Amino acid sequence: MMRKLLFYLMLAVTVMAGCKSGGDEKTAESNDTSAATTARTVEVATSGVTVKKTLNNVDSTEASALIATYKKAMEGQGMVVENASYFFNRRMVEKILAYLEKEGGNADGIRFYLGKKSATDAETMLLPVTTKAGSAANKHTDYYDHDEALFDTARIVTLRVNKKGTDPGAVLYDKCPTCPDLENGCKLTPGSLPRSYAEKMIQKFDGKNMNTNAIWLPLSLFKNMAKEKSFNGIRVYFGTYPDKTYTPPGQPSYEGRNTIVLTYVDRNGMDDFNCDPLPLAKAKGVNALDGGGSAGPPQNNGGLCPILCD
């Protein structure tokens, strides 16, 4: 009897130790985000089944109808676009980039169409569509053909929409007189903007008299953003050019044209304009929660439609 009692006691201790060990491993795994926040290689599996969809999981036929409705309402000048920002989480961006590469690497950009279910519908949808180089210079042809596996998790390919004033991380809605145009040694690169100019663009947007129905951005922009140490996603704002400063050479003036502005988002959900290299960021305690590192200024390098439409 005593032997049986000792046997069961030892068995219980062993089981409890195993449970504690498993729990400790799980806790360590959940707390150790360093690998997840620095890894950039995303393994993807293909299904061999091709579907026609936008990059946020909208069927191409439905997307075409939404785009046509928006364009017709825009031309009628009776439409108002509700001011909102759109959030692509890091996993979504990295998965899209990995699949586009797996599909043959023919993509050269993403065209963001605006869509509506009806002219009076308050919601405006952002529809990212992949493009490839067209037959002529500065031409980018839409294509919707993607492997079905890209859309196997709807949450990954769903944009989070936040109305103006509802997302504390969207800081460009408000003017910051004390904030530097370029933080921590940032330098302007093609497509990037001083913070004060990005603020002007976003604050000038009022959703009325819309004159743009699509904005094309190069795929290289998203690849470069996703490489940054602090990158945890992309926030997309609506904006309006306050003047012709950023009009591309040979194009009609962009003054008054609607567009979009992109920002890096850190693990706190905040717009991140920090350009410190990783060791310096850690030493200063900058972006401590997301591991520190480089992000960058707001981004805008878009080809606008009407003008550059295909």
Side-chain angles (χ1 to χ4, degrees), residues 149-304:
L150 172 59
F151 309 101
D152 63 356
T153 306
R155 181 180 63 82
I156 294 176
V157 289
T158 301
L159 293 176
R160 192 177 76 206
V161 184
N162 295 292
K163 295 179 182 179
K164 179 181 177 180
T166 64
D167 185 353
V171 301
L172 292 183
Y173 283 124
D174 299 310
K175 185 176 181 180
C176 180
T178 60
C179 294
D181 263 348
L182 297 172
E183 295 189 14
N184 304 321
C186 288
K187 295 180 180 179
L188 288 179
T189 56
S192 61
L193 301 166
R195 175 173 176 150
S196 62
Y197 195 88
E199 288 175 350
K200 288 178 183 177
M201 292 175 69
I202 291 163
Q203 291 158 23
K204 186 173 177 61
F205 180 82
D206 62 6
K208 301 175 183 178
N209 301 315
M210 296 298 292
N211 51 36
T212 299
N213 70 295
I215 304 96
W216 180 86
L217 293 166
L219 194 64
S220 58
L221 170 63
F222 300 94
K223 289 181 177 180
N224 290 336
M225 292 182 80
K227 289 177 184 176
E228 298 296 354
K229 294 289 184 182
S230 296
F231 179 75
N232 197 55
I234 295 172
R235 179 172 286 113
V236 181
Y237 292 89
F238 287 128
T240 300
Y241 287 101
D243 52 43
K244 60 183 181 181
T245 302
Y246 286 92
T247 303
Q251 299 293 331
S253 174
Y254 272 13
E255 183 175 2
R257 290 294 304 273
N258 311 127
T259 187
I260 55 178
V261 176
L262 280 58
T263 61
Y264 296 82
V265 176
D266 67 17
R267 289 187 64 204
N268 300 313
M270 303 294 293
D271 288 336
D272 188 352
F273 311 115
N274 170 53
C275 283
D276 278 335
L278 183 56
L280 180 58
K282 285 184 175 180
K284 293 170 62 176
V286 177
N287 294 334
L289 280 179
D290 57 48
S294 173
Q299 300 290 318
N300 169 267
N301 191 24
L304 306 183

Side-chain angles (χ1 to χ4, degrees), residues 23-42:
D24 288 345
E25 288 173 3
K26 185 174 182 181
T27 302
E29 180 181 328
S30 63
N31 289 337
D32 181 13
T33 59
S34 59
T37 56
T38 59
R40 296 302 177 194
T41 302
V42 178

